[in-house]
Amino acid sequence: MAFKTLDDLLKEGVEGRHVLVRSDFNVPLDDEGNITDSGRITASLPTIKALVEGGAKVILSAHLGRPKGEANPKYSLEPVAEALSEALDQYVALAGDVSGEDAHERANGLNDGDVLLLENVRFDPRETSKDEAERGAFADELVALAADNGAFVSDGFGVVHRAQASVYDVAKRLPAYAGKLVQKEVETLAAVAKEPEHPYVVVLGGAKVSDKLGVIEALAGKADKVIIGGGMCYTLLAAQGYNVQNSLLQEDQIDNCKDLLERFGDKIVLPVDLVAATEFDANAENKVVALDGIPEGWMSLDIGPESVKKFDEVIATSKTVFWNGPMGVFEMEAFSKGTAGVAQSIIDATAKNGSFTVVGGGDSAASVRLLGLDEDGFSHISTGGGASLEFLEGKELPGVKVLES
Protein backbone atom coordinates (compact mmCIF):
# COMPACT_ATOMS: atom_id res chain seq x y z
CA MET A 1 0.00 0.00 0.00
CA ALA A 2 1.44 3.32 -1.01
CA PHE A 3 0.53 6.22 1.22
CA LYS A 4 2.34 9.18 2.70
CA THR A 5 3.36 8.77 6.33
CA LEU A 6 4.00 11.01 9.30
CA ASP A 7 7.70 10.89 8.48
CA ASP A 8 6.93 12.41 5.07
CA LEU A 9 4.95 15.21 6.75
CA LEU A 10 7.73 15.90 9.25
CA LYS A 11 10.24 16.15 6.41
CA GLU A 12 8.00 18.72 4.73
CA GLY A 13 7.91 20.60 8.02
CA VAL A 14 5.09 21.13 10.51
CA GLU A 15 6.37 24.09 12.51
CA GLY A 16 3.61 26.67 12.86
CA ARG A 17 1.11 24.50 10.92
CA HIS A 18 -2.20 23.27 12.25
CA VAL A 19 -2.27 19.46 12.03
CA LEU A 20 -5.61 17.72 12.52
CA VAL A 21 -5.11 14.21 13.90
CA ARG A 22 -7.83 11.55 14.02
CA SER A 23 -6.95 9.42 17.04
CA ASP A 24 -8.71 6.50 18.69
CA PHE A 25 -9.53 7.37 22.28
CA ASN A 26 -12.52 5.06 22.61
CA VAL A 27 -11.35 3.83 26.01
CA PRO A 28 -13.42 1.95 28.60
CA LEU A 29 -14.67 3.92 31.61
CA ASP A 30 -15.97 2.74 34.98
CA ASP A 31 -19.16 4.02 36.60
CA GLU A 32 -17.26 7.01 38.01
CA GLY A 33 -15.91 7.97 34.59
CA ASN A 34 -12.37 6.75 35.26
CA ILE A 35 -10.41 5.17 32.41
CA THR A 36 -9.93 1.45 33.11
CA ASP A 37 -7.66 0.65 30.16
CA SER A 38 -5.50 3.41 28.68
CA GLY A 39 -3.92 1.22 25.99
CA ARG A 40 -5.27 3.25 23.09
CA ILE A 41 -4.07 6.52 24.63
CA THR A 42 -0.59 5.08 25.10
CA ALA A 43 -0.57 3.85 21.50
CA SER A 44 -1.39 7.37 20.24
CA LEU A 45 1.52 9.10 21.98
CA PRO A 46 4.36 8.55 19.46
CA THR A 47 2.49 10.43 16.70
CA ILE A 48 1.38 13.26 18.99
CA LYS A 49 4.84 13.67 20.53
CA ALA A 50 6.50 13.77 17.10
CA LEU A 51 4.16 16.55 15.98
CA VAL A 52 4.64 18.50 19.21
CA GLU A 53 8.42 18.23 18.92
CA GLY A 54 8.14 19.38 15.31
CA GLY A 55 6.36 22.56 16.42
CA ALA A 56 2.93 21.75 15.03
CA LYS A 57 -0.31 23.17 16.40
CA VAL A 58 -1.95 19.83 17.12
CA ILE A 59 -5.72 19.37 17.00
CA LEU A 60 -6.93 15.92 18.06
CA SER A 61 -10.32 14.48 17.10
CA ALA A 62 -11.78 11.25 18.44
CA HIS A 63 -14.94 9.56 19.65
CA LEU A 64 -15.93 7.80 22.85
CA GLY A 65 -18.81 5.35 23.16
CA ARG A 66 -22.09 5.71 21.31
CA PRO A 67 -23.71 9.04 22.19
CA LYS A 68 -26.05 8.70 19.21
CA GLY A 69 -25.39 12.08 17.62
CA GLU A 70 -26.03 14.34 20.59
CA ALA A 71 -23.94 15.87 23.37
CA ASN A 72 -23.93 13.64 26.44
CA PRO A 73 -21.66 14.37 29.44
CA LYS A 74 -21.34 10.61 30.01
CA TYR A 75 -19.33 10.38 26.80
CA SER A 76 -17.27 13.54 27.18
CA LEU A 77 -13.58 13.25 26.35
CA GLU A 78 -12.65 15.13 29.52
CA PRO A 79 -11.03 12.04 31.14
CA VAL A 80 -8.99 11.57 27.97
CA ALA A 81 -7.78 15.20 28.01
CA GLU A 82 -6.62 14.71 31.59
CA ALA A 83 -4.85 11.45 30.77
CA LEU A 84 -3.17 13.01 27.74
CA SER A 85 -2.01 16.01 29.78
CA GLU A 86 -0.33 13.64 32.23
CA ALA A 87 1.14 11.36 29.55
CA LEU A 88 2.52 14.23 27.45
CA ASP A 89 3.58 16.25 30.49
CA GLN A 90 1.87 19.31 29.06
CA TYR A 91 -1.61 20.78 29.26
CA VAL A 92 -4.07 19.43 26.71
CA ALA A 93 -7.11 21.68 26.43
CA LEU A 94 -10.55 20.20 25.74
CA ALA A 95 -12.79 22.25 23.45
CA GLY A 96 -16.30 22.84 24.70
CA ASP A 97 -17.71 21.68 21.37
CA VAL A 98 -16.70 19.66 18.32
CA SER A 99 -16.41 22.20 15.52
CA GLY A 100 -18.18 25.25 16.89
CA GLU A 101 -17.18 28.62 18.28
CA ASP A 102 -15.13 27.35 21.22
CA ALA A 103 -13.21 24.88 19.05
CA HIS A 104 -12.39 27.65 16.57
CA GLU A 105 -11.27 30.10 19.24
CA ARG A 106 -9.02 27.53 20.86
CA ALA A 107 -7.61 26.35 17.52
CA ASN A 108 -6.84 29.93 16.49
CA GLY A 109 -5.10 30.52 19.82
CA LEU A 110 -2.73 27.56 19.63
CA ASN A 111 0.99 28.19 19.83
CA ASP A 112 3.61 25.96 18.23
CA GLY A 113 3.72 22.65 20.11
CA ASP A 114 0.32 23.11 21.78
CA VAL A 115 -2.28 20.33 21.80
CA LEU A 116 -6.05 20.77 21.61
CA LEU A 117 -8.57 17.94 21.94
CA LEU A 118 -11.96 18.46 20.30
CA GLU A 119 -15.03 17.17 22.09
CA ASN A 120 -16.45 13.78 21.03
CA VAL A 121 -16.99 13.88 17.24
CA ARG A 122 -19.98 11.56 17.63
CA PHE A 123 -21.81 14.32 19.47
CA ASP A 124 -22.49 15.51 15.90
CA PRO A 125 -24.85 13.15 14.01
CA ARG A 126 -23.17 14.02 10.71
CA GLU A 127 -20.01 12.13 11.76
CA THR A 128 -21.62 8.76 11.10
CA SER A 129 -24.22 9.84 8.55
CA LYS A 130 -24.77 7.63 5.50
CA ASP A 131 -25.36 10.81 3.51
CA GLU A 132 -22.10 11.88 1.90
CA ALA A 133 -23.20 15.52 1.71
CA GLU A 134 -23.95 15.64 5.44
CA ARG A 135 -20.64 14.04 6.31
CA GLY A 136 -18.91 16.39 3.91
CA ALA A 137 -20.42 19.46 5.55
CA PHE A 138 -19.16 18.30 8.94
CA ALA A 139 -15.75 17.49 7.45
CA ASP A 140 -15.57 21.02 6.05
CA GLU A 141 -16.07 22.40 9.56
CA LEU A 142 -13.30 20.20 10.94
CA VAL A 143 -10.98 21.15 8.09
CA ALA A 144 -11.64 24.84 8.79
CA LEU A 145 -10.05 24.37 12.22
CA ALA A 146 -6.77 23.55 10.52
CA ALA A 147 -6.72 26.93 8.76
CA ASP A 148 -4.54 27.49 5.69
CA ASN A 149 -1.58 25.18 5.11
CA GLY A 150 -3.09 22.54 7.40
CA ALA A 151 -2.60 18.78 7.23
CA PHE A 152 -4.43 15.65 8.33
CA VAL A 153 -2.89 12.65 10.08
CA SER A 154 -4.93 9.46 10.34
CA ASP A 155 -3.85 7.65 13.50
CA GLY A 156 -7.01 5.93 14.76
CA PHE A 157 -6.70 2.41 13.42
CA GLY A 158 -9.76 1.32 15.37
CA VAL A 159 -11.97 3.43 13.07
CA VAL A 160 -10.35 3.10 9.62
CA HIS A 161 -12.89 0.45 8.62
CA ARG A 162 -15.61 3.12 8.74
CA ALA A 163 -16.24 5.81 6.11
CA GLN A 164 -16.95 8.51 8.68
CA ALA A 165 -16.46 12.26 8.42
CA SER A 166 -13.42 12.63 10.70
CA VAL A 167 -11.78 9.52 9.25
CA TYR A 168 -12.62 9.47 5.55
CA ASP A 169 -14.09 12.77 4.35
CA VAL A 170 -11.49 14.96 6.09
CA ALA A 171 -8.73 12.93 4.40
CA LYS A 172 -10.18 13.89 1.02
CA ARG A 173 -10.00 17.59 1.88
CA LEU A 174 -6.53 18.01 3.39
CA PRO A 175 -3.07 16.66 2.56
CA ALA A 176 -3.38 13.29 4.31
CA TYR A 177 -0.80 11.10 6.01
CA ALA A 178 -0.77 7.85 7.97
CA GLY A 179 0.31 8.31 11.57
CA LYS A 180 2.83 6.04 13.24
CA LEU A 181 0.11 3.81 14.71
CA VAL A 182 -1.85 3.33 11.49
CA GLN A 183 1.35 2.73 9.52
CA LYS A 184 2.53 0.08 11.99
CA GLU A 185 -0.88 -1.63 12.10
CA VAL A 186 -1.24 -1.82 8.33
CA GLU A 187 2.32 -3.07 7.75
CA THR A 188 2.06 -5.68 10.53
CA LEU A 189 -1.36 -7.01 9.58
CA ALA A 190 -0.44 -7.05 5.89
CA ALA A 191 2.33 -9.51 6.71
CA VAL A 192 -0.22 -11.83 8.35
CA ALA A 193 -2.89 -11.33 5.69
CA LYS A 194 -0.67 -11.87 2.66
CA GLU A 195 2.17 -14.18 3.60
CA PRO A 196 1.69 -15.83 7.00
CA GLU A 197 4.28 -18.42 7.90
CA HIS A 198 2.65 -21.81 8.40
CA PRO A 199 1.31 -23.44 10.48
CA TYR A 200 -1.03 -20.44 10.75
CA VAL A 201 -3.47 -20.62 13.67
CA VAL A 202 -6.43 -18.27 14.15
CA VAL A 203 -8.05 -18.02 17.61
CA LEU A 204 -11.53 -16.48 17.66
CA GLY A 205 -13.84 -15.68 20.55
CA GLY A 206 -16.43 -13.09 21.41
CA ALA A 207 -20.17 -13.13 21.79
CA LYS A 208 -22.05 -13.65 18.54
CA VAL A 209 -21.19 -16.17 15.87
CA SER A 210 -23.31 -14.19 13.39
CA ASP A 211 -20.77 -11.36 13.60
CA LYS A 212 -17.93 -13.65 12.61
CA LEU A 213 -19.30 -16.25 10.21
CA GLY A 214 -17.77 -14.40 7.28
CA VAL A 215 -14.49 -14.05 9.14
CA ILE A 216 -14.39 -17.75 10.02
CA GLU A 217 -15.09 -18.68 6.41
CA ALA A 218 -12.49 -16.29 5.03
CA LEU A 219 -9.78 -17.24 7.50
CA ALA A 220 -10.50 -20.97 7.40
CA GLY A 221 -9.49 -20.84 3.76
CA LYS A 222 -6.10 -19.37 4.68
CA ALA A 223 -5.29 -20.79 8.12
CA ASP A 224 -4.28 -24.31 9.07
CA LYS A 225 -6.49 -24.29 12.18
CA VAL A 226 -9.25 -22.01 13.51
CA ILE A 227 -9.78 -22.31 17.26
CA ILE A 228 -13.19 -21.06 18.43
CA GLY A 229 -14.21 -20.26 22.01
CA GLY A 230 -16.24 -17.59 23.76
CA GLY A 231 -19.96 -17.04 23.40
CA MET A 232 -19.83 -17.80 19.69
CA CYS A 233 -18.81 -21.43 20.24
CA TYR A 234 -22.15 -22.45 21.78
CA THR A 235 -24.08 -22.11 18.53
CA LEU A 236 -21.44 -24.26 16.84
CA LEU A 237 -21.72 -26.84 19.64
CA ALA A 238 -25.51 -26.77 19.27
CA ALA A 239 -24.99 -27.44 15.56
CA GLN A 240 -23.11 -30.58 16.60
CA GLY A 241 -26.12 -31.69 18.63
CA TYR A 242 -25.13 -30.60 22.15
CA ASN A 243 -27.68 -29.07 24.51
CA VAL A 244 -26.04 -25.85 25.63
CA GLN A 245 -28.89 -25.08 28.03
CA ASN A 246 -29.00 -21.34 28.85
CA SER A 247 -25.63 -20.51 27.27
CA LEU A 248 -25.53 -17.77 24.66
CA LEU A 249 -27.19 -19.26 21.60
CA GLN A 250 -28.22 -17.91 18.22
CA GLU A 251 -30.77 -20.46 17.09
CA ASP A 252 -31.22 -18.77 13.71
CA GLN A 253 -27.53 -19.45 12.97
CA ILE A 254 -27.48 -23.19 13.73
CA ASP A 255 -28.00 -24.21 10.10
CA ASN A 256 -25.27 -21.80 8.98
CA CYS A 257 -22.96 -23.32 11.59
CA LYS A 258 -23.77 -26.84 10.40
CA ASP A 259 -22.83 -25.79 6.89
CA LEU A 260 -19.61 -24.21 8.16
CA LEU A 261 -18.65 -27.37 10.05
CA GLU A 262 -19.38 -29.54 7.03
CA ARG A 263 -17.05 -27.46 4.85
CA PHE A 264 -14.28 -26.64 7.32
CA GLY A 265 -14.70 -29.22 10.07
CA ASP A 266 -11.15 -30.49 9.63
CA LYS A 267 -9.79 -27.03 10.41
CA ILE A 268 -12.17 -25.82 13.13
CA VAL A 269 -11.16 -26.65 16.71
CA LEU A 270 -13.90 -26.41 19.36
CA PRO A 271 -13.83 -26.77 23.18
CA VAL A 272 -13.99 -30.23 24.77
CA ASP A 273 -15.15 -29.03 28.21
CA LEU A 274 -16.77 -25.93 29.69
CA VAL A 275 -17.19 -23.94 32.90
CA ALA A 276 -20.92 -23.83 33.64
CA ALA A 277 -22.63 -21.50 36.13
CA THR A 278 -26.09 -21.12 37.61
CA GLU A 279 -26.35 -17.53 36.35
CA PHE A 280 -24.42 -14.67 34.76
CA ASP A 281 -22.83 -13.46 37.97
CA ALA A 282 -19.27 -13.24 39.27
CA ASN A 283 -20.26 -15.11 42.44
CA ALA A 284 -22.51 -17.71 40.82
CA GLU A 285 -22.06 -21.39 41.65
CA ASN A 286 -19.94 -22.92 38.88
CA LYS A 287 -18.19 -26.13 37.88
CA VAL A 288 -16.29 -27.74 35.02
CA VAL A 289 -18.53 -29.93 32.87
CA ALA A 290 -18.35 -32.06 29.73
CA LEU A 291 -19.94 -30.69 26.56
CA ASP A 292 -23.07 -32.75 27.21
CA GLY A 293 -23.03 -32.13 30.96
CA ILE A 294 -24.33 -28.57 31.44
CA PRO A 295 -26.95 -28.89 34.21
CA GLU A 296 -30.49 -27.95 33.24
CA GLY A 297 -31.01 -24.20 33.45
CA TRP A 298 -27.28 -23.44 33.79
CA MET A 299 -25.11 -21.57 31.30
CA SER A 300 -21.50 -21.88 30.21
CA LEU A 301 -19.36 -18.77 30.74
CA ASP A 302 -15.89 -20.08 29.87
CA ILE A 303 -14.00 -22.93 28.27
CA GLY A 304 -12.68 -25.63 30.61
CA PRO A 305 -9.12 -26.73 31.48
CA GLU A 306 -9.06 -29.63 29.00
CA SER A 307 -10.04 -27.19 26.24
CA VAL A 308 -7.13 -24.95 27.23
CA LYS A 309 -4.80 -27.97 26.93
CA LYS A 310 -6.26 -28.94 23.57
CA PHE A 311 -5.94 -25.40 22.23
CA ASP A 312 -2.40 -25.17 23.60
CA GLU A 313 -1.37 -28.25 21.61
CA VAL A 314 -2.52 -26.57 18.41
CA ILE A 315 -0.99 -23.17 19.23
CA ALA A 316 2.33 -24.76 20.25
CA THR A 317 2.86 -26.01 16.67
CA SER A 318 2.23 -22.58 15.13
CA LYS A 319 4.51 -20.16 13.34
CA THR A 320 1.81 -17.46 13.02
CA VAL A 321 -1.08 -16.78 15.42
CA PHE A 322 -3.89 -14.23 15.12
CA TRP A 323 -6.16 -13.94 18.17
CA ASN A 324 -9.39 -11.96 18.31
CA GLY A 325 -11.94 -12.38 21.09
CA PRO A 326 -11.89 -13.78 24.65
CA MET A 327 -12.66 -17.40 25.50
CA GLY A 328 -15.09 -16.49 28.29
CA VAL A 329 -16.33 -13.73 30.57
CA PHE A 330 -12.78 -12.73 31.49
CA GLU A 331 -13.93 -9.69 33.50
CA MET A 332 -15.18 -12.15 36.18
CA GLU A 333 -12.31 -14.00 37.85
CA ALA A 334 -14.15 -17.32 37.98
CA PHE A 335 -14.53 -17.29 34.20
CA SER A 336 -11.19 -15.79 33.19
CA LYS A 337 -9.01 -18.90 33.21
CA GLY A 338 -9.83 -19.91 29.64
CA THR A 339 -8.80 -16.56 28.20
CA ALA A 340 -5.72 -16.36 30.43
CA GLY A 341 -4.68 -19.90 29.51
CA VAL A 342 -5.01 -19.41 25.76
CA ALA A 343 -3.24 -16.04 25.96
CA GLN A 344 -0.36 -17.68 27.84
CA SER A 345 -0.18 -20.38 25.18
CA ILE A 346 0.22 -17.67 22.55
CA ILE A 347 2.92 -15.95 24.64
CA ASP A 348 4.73 -19.29 24.98
CA ALA A 349 4.54 -19.84 21.21
CA THR A 350 6.16 -16.44 20.70
CA ALA A 351 8.99 -17.20 23.12
CA LYS A 352 9.60 -20.90 22.48
CA ASN A 353 8.60 -21.32 18.87
CA GLY A 354 9.48 -17.92 17.44
CA SER A 355 5.88 -17.58 16.29
CA PHE A 356 4.66 -14.24 14.96
CA THR A 357 1.69 -13.50 17.22
CA VAL A 358 -0.91 -10.77 16.82
CA VAL A 359 -3.63 -9.81 19.28
CA GLY A 360 -6.53 -8.36 17.31
CA GLY A 361 -7.49 -5.46 19.55
CA GLY A 362 -10.83 -4.98 21.28
CA ASP A 363 -11.63 -7.24 24.23
CA SER A 364 -8.61 -9.42 23.49
CA ALA A 365 -6.21 -6.53 24.07
CA ALA A 366 -8.20 -5.42 27.11
CA SER A 367 -8.04 -8.92 28.59
CA VAL A 368 -4.25 -9.02 28.26
CA ARG A 369 -3.96 -5.90 30.40
CA LEU A 370 -6.76 -6.74 32.84
CA LEU A 371 -5.37 -10.22 33.52
CA GLY A 372 -1.88 -8.84 34.07
CA LEU A 373 -0.28 -10.72 31.17
CA ASP A 374 2.99 -9.65 29.58
CA GLU A 375 2.14 -7.32 26.70
CA ASP A 376 5.68 -7.72 25.37
CA GLY A 377 5.04 -11.45 25.09
CA PHE A 378 3.13 -10.89 21.85
CA SER A 379 4.64 -9.72 18.56
CA HIS A 380 1.92 -7.10 18.11
CA ILE A 381 -1.18 -5.94 19.97
CA SER A 382 -3.57 -4.18 17.60
CA THR A 383 -5.71 -1.26 18.71
CA GLY A 384 -8.53 -2.13 16.32
CA GLY A 385 -10.69 -5.20 16.84
CA GLY A 386 -13.13 -4.80 13.97
CA ALA A 387 -10.58 -3.12 11.73
CA SER A 388 -7.99 -5.86 12.18
CA LEU A 389 -10.57 -8.58 11.47
CA GLU A 390 -11.82 -6.88 8.31
CA PHE A 391 -8.24 -6.32 7.14
CA LEU A 392 -7.39 -10.01 7.55
CA GLU A 393 -10.69 -10.96 5.95
CA GLY A 394 -9.51 -9.10 2.86
CA LYS A 395 -12.02 -6.26 3.00
CA GLU A 396 -11.11 -2.77 1.86
CA LEU A 397 -10.77 -0.30 4.75
CA PRO A 398 -12.10 3.12 3.63
CA GLY A 399 -9.91 5.05 6.09
CA VAL A 400 -6.80 3.37 4.68
CA LYS A 401 -7.83 3.42 1.04
CA VAL A 402 -8.40 7.20 1.15
CA LEU A 403 -4.76 7.71 2.19
CA GLU A 404 -3.35 5.88 -0.81
CA SER A 405 -1.53 8.13 -3.24
Side-chain angles (χ1 to χ4, degrees), residues 92-134:
V92 175
L94 176 68
D97 50 34
V98 186
S99 59
E101 188 175 337
D102 191 58
H104 274 275
E105 284 186 10
R106 290 179 182 274
N108 290 337
L110 290 174
N111 295 312
D112 295 359
D114 283 353
V115 181
L116 168 67
L117 175 61
L118 304 178
E119 190 49 283
N120 193 333
V121 290
R122 290 192 182 170
F123 283 0
D124 193 308
R126 296 172 296 174
E127 164 70 2
T128 57
S129 175
K130 301 295 183 187
D131 186 309
E132 188 175 350
E134 288 183 358

Side-chain angles (χ1 to χ4, degrees), residues 144-172:
L145 296 171
D148 295 332
N149 200 28
F152 172 68
V153 174
S154 177
D155 209 42
F157 184 72
V159 289
V160 293
H161 59 315
R162 301 285 182 252
Q164 297 178 347
S166 66
V167 180
Y168 178 78
D169 299 275
V170 165
K172 296 170 71 175

Side-chain angles (χ1 to χ4, degrees), residues 330-331 336 339-340 343 366-373:
F330 70 91
E331 299 92 343
S336 65
T339 301
S367 71
V368 169
R369 291 184 277 269
L370 184 68
L371 298 173
L373 298 165

